[in-house]
Amino acid sequence: MSVEPEEKKAAVLAVSGVKNSGKTTCIANVLPILKKHGLRVAVIKHDGHEFEPDVPGTDTWRLRKAGAYGTAIFSKGRFQIIQERPTDEAAIIGMFHDVDLVLLEGFKYSRYPKIEIVRSGNSQESICPADTLIAVATNIDGFDGVPAGIPIVPLDDLQSIAELMLNFVQTAGKEERA
């Protein structure tokens, strides 16, 4: 008799900020640190426009353009499924059964816990709901645009940002088990 491993629930954290604040860059630079700590991390990015989900000219692109409701491609080490139907981030989060952390790129006005990026020359203040912030990462000297008790870390201090995420995963895991 085989016993299926207990499905764990991933911690979900948004990395938010205004357009071009550096969200993707921050996530891309922190991912190797999180991986080095043994975390399996998935990233979900919301696109406010309809994006082209496959490269023009590939077989799956041609089949989708020909009218397929869905297409899938896989190899030994990865797969991709494209369906022509509405969805939301909650449904996609639910598809990641084997990760420790799901990072949402964007979602600034959502109720998800978040680290907000505030970058000089791009934004000057926090725009996210204060009660959802676990920290603000900024390169603005003397930035104090958040309520007391919310940590402010240097935007270029990737280790501190990664530690905030690691602590979040540990804390979220304890809350899930409680």
Side-chain angles (χ1 to χ4, degrees):
M1 173 197 300
S2 73
V3 176
E4 293 295 317
E6 186 176 318
E7 189 174 299
K8 63 181 175 182
K9 189 171 181 181
V12 180
L13 178 67
V15 176
S16 303
V18 300
K19 184 177 180 179
N20 296 322
S21 59
K23 301 177 295 290
T24 301
T25 300
C26 179
I27 292 170
N29 289 333
V30 170
L31 280 170
I33 300 169
L34 298 174
K35 187 174 180 180
K36 193 184 314 182
H37 283 274
L39 254 60
R40 295 179 97 173
V41 183
V43 180
I44 298 173
K45 177 176 175 52
H46 178 261
D47 186 344
H49 313 285
E50 289 303 316
F51 65 97
E52 186 63 44
D54 208 345
V55 180
T58 62
D59 290 347
T60 52
W61 179 85
R62 288 179 53 218
L63 294 168
R64 195 173 50 78
K65 290 298 183 185
Y69 173 74
T71 59
I73 185 169
F74 71 98
S75 65
K76 185 177 179 182
R78 69 177 55 102
F79 70 93
Q80 178 179 359
I81 297 174
I82 299 168
Q83 278 192 307
E84 301 292 331
R85 65 178 174 95
T87 192
D88 63 16
E89 77 280 358
I92 298 170
I93 290 167
M95 293 178 191
F96 289 105
H97 302 288
D98 58 349
V99 301
D100 303 297
L101 174 63
V102 174
L103 291 176
L104 301 174
E105 198 255 37
F107 298 86
K108 60 185 167 262
Y109 300 121
S110 73
R111 299 306 306 160
Y112 292 104
K114 60 189 58 75
I115 296 174
E116 183 176 2
I117 308 291
V118 179
R119 187 169 53 88
S120 175
N122 183 265
S123 56
Q124 296 299 311
E125 60 188 7
S126 173
I127 60 161
C128 295
D131 64 332
T132 65
L133 290 174
I134 67 163
V136 171
T138 185
N139 64 351
I140 300 173
D141 289 332
F143 181 79
D144 64 357
V146 294
I150 296 175
I152 299 171
V153 297
L155 184 54
D156 62 355
D157 187 351
L158 301 174
Q159 188 62 45
S160 290
I161 295 170
E163 286 173 17
L164 286 165
M165 292 177 179
L166 289 163
N167 290 336
F168 178 79
V169 169
Q170 291 172 344
T171 301
K174 289 177 185 170
E175 289 173 3
E176 284 294 320
R177 290 187 290 271

